[in-house]
Amino acid sequence: MRLDKFLSHTGFGSRKAVRLLIKKSLVKVNGEKVKDIGHILNLKSDIVTVGEEVVQYEEDVYIMINKPRDYICAHDAVEYPSVLDLLEESRSDLFFVGRLDADTEGLLIITNDGQFSHRIAHGKKDIKKQYYVELDHDFDKKFIGELEKGIPMDDTMLKPAKVEMVTSKALLLTISEGKYHQVKRMMHHCNNEVVYLKRVKIGPLNLDESLELGAYRSLTEEEISYFN
Ligand code: URA
């Protein structure tokens, strides 16, 4: 990575500000002053200092995890352990893109990229989430039309959902919002009870079914680009 890009990524300001630091001979690579703003760094081995400060480079993290039940999407886990405890390397800058309830399984994205998370959760694109839902008793198909038109919730109308029956007691439900307990509340509206819930898709991103519960992997460049 170029030295100027590295410094602006690590919080030393715009490229212009960073150039000034370099010009003022405040930047050293492996103890040597570097004047070339385009100096290429080896991120694995080079040590960069600005004045007396050693600059730590934290790469952007984009993880897909197959969340097991009885883990929570929070840093301070009280009743249950945090999903972050499942990661080999713990980092304080990570957060969840769209939380899942403790008893929900499936696709969860963990990142340290706030803009990426914002684009998924609140961006202009309508990014749909798909859930596999198992119910306590047979789903009453008379509610399909209502769900597909949009039902009321929290003083607003939900956007149209999509319902695909899997069995008489299981369905794939695709929704646009991420309201608290949304799927469970939608099924309550249909006089039913969720007994098992798993998120299987966010936008075009499918849960990698080769991931066992609790297992995770980095998103590929292509998967990250889905949300650009
Ligand atoms: N809807 C729910 O009710 N729970 C979840 O975890 C996700 C969506």
Side-chain angles (χ1 to χ4, degrees), residues 9 32 46 56 67 75 79 81 94 104 126 154 172 177 200:
H9 264 230
E32 303 279 333
D46 285 340
Q56 302 289 350
K67 179 194 171 296
H75 284 260
E79 207 177 334
L94 299 180
T104 303
D126 178 19
D154 297 343
L172 282 170
E177 307 83 355
V200 291

Side-chain angles (χ1 to χ4, degrees), residues 7-8 14 16 22 24 49-50 70 73 90 94 108 117 128 135 139 169 176 188 200 202 218 228:
L7 289 169
S8 83
S14 64
K16 202 170 152 201
I22 296 170
K24 284 185 178 164
T49 48
V50 174
D70 296 345
C73 297
S90 98
L94 299 180
L108 179 66
S117 167
K128 302 201 186 305
L135 297 165
F139 181 74
K169 287 191 342 179
S176 292
H188 273 161
V200 291
I202 300 174
S218 293
N228 282 340

Side-chain angles (χ1 to χ4, degrees), residues 99-104 131 175 179-185 197 199:
R99 290 156 189 253
L100 294 175
D101 296 338
D103 57 358
T104 303
Y131 292 85
I175 59 174
K179 290 184 182 290
Y180 181 66
H181 290 339
Q182 181 167 335
V183 173
K184 291 172 187 161
R185 288 157 76 198
L197 186 58
R199 182 157 61 195

Side-chain angles (χ1 to χ4, degrees), residues 134-151:
E134 284 180 8
L135 297 165
D136 175 65
H137 51 270
D138 285 355
F139 181 74
D140 187 340
K141 289 196 185 135
K142 79 170 186 215
F143 289 105
I144 292 181
E146 259 188 78
L147 294 175
E148 294 198 337
K149 249 174 78 187
I151 61 166

Side-chain angles (χ1 to χ4, degrees), residues 37-102:
I37 52 170
H39 178 90
I40 301 294
L41 294 170
N42 180 339
L43 294 178
K44 291 212 167 77
S45 57
D46 285 340
I47 296 173
V48 180
T49 48
V50 174
E52 298 299 308
E53 182 186 346
V54 177
V55 185
Q56 302 289 350
Y57 182 70
E58 301 268 29
E59 269 186 86
D60 282 344
V61 173
Y62 304 92
I63 289 170
M64 146 184 332
I65 188 164
N66 186 3
K67 179 194 171 296
R69 60 188 303 142
D70 296 345
Y71 280 83
I72 57 166
C73 297
H75 284 260
D76 302 318
V78 183
E79 207 177 334
Y80 294 110
S82 166
V83 175
L84 295 174
D85 294 346
L86 294 163
L87 306 182
E88 256 163 64
E89 199 194 335
S90 98
R91 278 174 53 166
S92 60
D93 60 342
L94 299 180
F95 51 87
F96 309 98
V97 182
R99 290 156 189 253
L100 294 175
D101 296 338

